[in-house]
Amino acid sequence: MRPAATTLVSALHEADAVRVAARIGSGHRMHVASDALSAARGIAGRRDQLDRTLRSDADHDLVVTLAPEVDVRAVGMMLANAARSETGDDRVLRHVVAVLRADDVAHLLWSDVDDAFVAAERVVALVEYATVIALDRVEPLSGRRRRALVALLHRMAPHAVIVAAPALRGPLDLPASNGGAARLLASGAGWMRALSTDGGRTDTGRDPRDDLVTMRYREPLPFHPGRLAAVIADDLSAGTNGRVLRSKGFFRLASRPDHVGSWSSFGAMLALDPTANPSWDEDAPVGQAIWFVGERLDVHAVEHALDRALLTAGELLAGPDVWRSWADPFPVWPALDPSHEHRHD
């Protein structure tokens, strides 16, 4: 008897996921709205039940809708890891389907809204860990904007198939799969692929079919907090050197020398958060490693602006005790360093 193959369906709006799941499901469906660990356990339990109760020639496929707040990547990786430990085979996840309202995503990207961080991060998580991206409500977008959105999604999730949501009318409309979709969750996002490849200090790419440009910025030196804030406000704002649509990676801030930061932007929203990696961890990224994709990006101007934010030779030699005394305009990371707020002006 073959194990039940699972398809995960998620969306920014739960009703969208339920609607698409009803079309592509062949009969066995469930909905989960709990934390990732509980969700994975519930899905595994339902799959085991199908294996025990259905005939060997019966359809064992299971389509699961996840509430918007559920971490689809964590759920998929837990399912695969559990299957690998039990059977030695992690091919239990057929597809991860992300259902997006194209006009909503376009609004986040091009309207210069700068306070919708939760929605932006959820869209990013849906896109970059999907094997199928189903776009709904594309009609309000102009042809140029529609092409730019699709091009961006291809760069964010190079392995994903992008389809119009109304075209998914049944399970046969999904691409063929060997059940190994979970393997893409670990390293399949566009930014992960870009930063894991060998290359020089910067690595750029332009597709002649659209106006999008990608670049990879690498530098072992840390950033000066004040100069980095100025670069973000002046040089990375929309219209100065093109428009950054998505950026992601890791960064080092000299005033916070003990930890590695996570850099993540979508549209006009940029989040600079701590990672779990202390700077001395042997697996921690060194210096700056950030991937950018945007419209008509002036790669050299962006690179030179970021270079201006790096420590000079004299600042580098001053050492961490001096760096910690510098004014730091970024939000504190109290969970990692409770005394941080007393170190800066």
Side-chain angles (χ1 to χ4, degrees), residues 16-344:
D16 296 344
V18 172
R19 184 176 63 256
V20 169
R23 293 193 205 133
I24 63 175
S26 56
H28 307 294
R29 299 203 307 273
M30 68 179 295
H31 177 75
V32 293
S34 52
D35 63 272
L37 179 58
S38 299
R41 286 174 174 171
I43 294 168
R46 178 65 183 278
R47 205 173 55 215
D48 289 342
Q49 179 188 40
L50 291 176
D51 290 342
R52 291 193 307 268
T53 60
L54 295 180
R55 302 189 315 272
S56 60
D57 60 345
D59 187 353
H60 288 207
D61 292 347
L62 176 64
V63 175
V64 181
T65 54
L66 286 77
E69 66 275 10
V70 178
D71 187 337
V72 63
R73 182 182 185 229
V75 171
M77 293 184 70
M78 287 179 189
L79 290 173
N81 290 339
R84 186 185 303 113
S85 64
E86 293 173 6
T87 68
D89 189 348
D90 63 1
R91 292 175 297 174
V92 295
L93 198 60
R94 175 164 292 174
H95 280 297
V96 179
V97 180
V99 187
L100 299 175
R101 298 180 183 180
D103 55 344
D104 282 357
V105 179
H107 178 74
L108 290 172
L109 287 167
W110 284 286
S111 70
D112 294 326
V113 59
D114 61 1
D115 59 354
F117 285 95
V118 172
E121 285 303 308
R122 285 181 177 170
V123 168
V124 165
L126 289 174
V127 169
E128 294 183 335
Y129 305 117
T131 60
V132 177
I133 300 172
L135 285 180
D136 207 356
R137 298 192 350 190
V138 298
E139 295 79 9
L141 303 185
S142 66
R144 180 178 177 277
R145 187 55 53 80
R146 192 181 307 178
R147 289 190 295 273
L149 175 59
V150 171
L152 175 64
L153 297 178
H154 274 303
R155 284 166 172 75
M156 292 174 63
H159 55 272
V161 174
I162 302 174
V163 300
L168 292 178
R169 296 180 295 271
L172 295 180
D173 292 322
L174 291 174
S177 170
N178 67 354
R183 298 175 185 178
L184 295 173
L185 299 176
S187 59
W191 71 272
M192 291 180 175
R193 293 189 176 190
L195 295 181
S196 65
T197 57
D198 294 331
R201 185 166 178 268
T202 59
D203 184 43
T204 63
R206 181 191 297 271
D207 191 320
R209 295 170 295 181
D210 55 54
D211 291 327
L212 298 193
V213 178
T214 60
M215 64 170 285
R216 181 178 61 194
Y217 182 78
R218 292 184 183 277
E219 174 58 53
L221 291 172
F223 283 131
H224 183 285
R227 294 200 297 272
L228 178 61
V231 167
I232 291 171
D234 299 332
D235 299 276
L236 297 183
S237 59
T240 303
N241 295 303
R243 179 186 288 268
V244 177
L245 296 175
R246 169 69 173 145
S247 62
K248 176 66 176 175
F250 303 99
F251 74 104
R252 296 288 187 98
L253 204 57
S255 50
R256 308 180 189 195
D258 299 324
H259 297 284
V260 177
S262 168
W263 174 300
S264 179
S265 78
F266 191 73
M269 289 156 287
L270 172 63
L272 302 178
D273 297 314
T275 69
N277 289 100
S279 59
W280 57 83
D281 192 308
E282 63 180 12
D283 296 324
V286 175
Q288 324 303 338
I290 310 170
W291 177 75
F292 295 85
V293 57
E295 291 181 305
R296 298 178 295 279
L297 283 187
D298 185 334
V299 171
H300 296 297
V302 172
E303 179 184 9
H304 291 159
L306 292 170
D307 284 348
R308 293 198 305 272
L310 299 171
L311 295 193
T312 65
E315 291 168 337
L316 183 65
L317 292 175
D321 288 341
V322 172
W323 304 345
R324 289 190 178 98
S325 70
W326 292 341
D328 185 332
F330 298 105
V332 298
W333 295 341
L336 296 180
D337 189 356
S339 62
H340 185 283
E341 59 183 336
H342 302 297
R343 292 178 175 172
H344 307 293

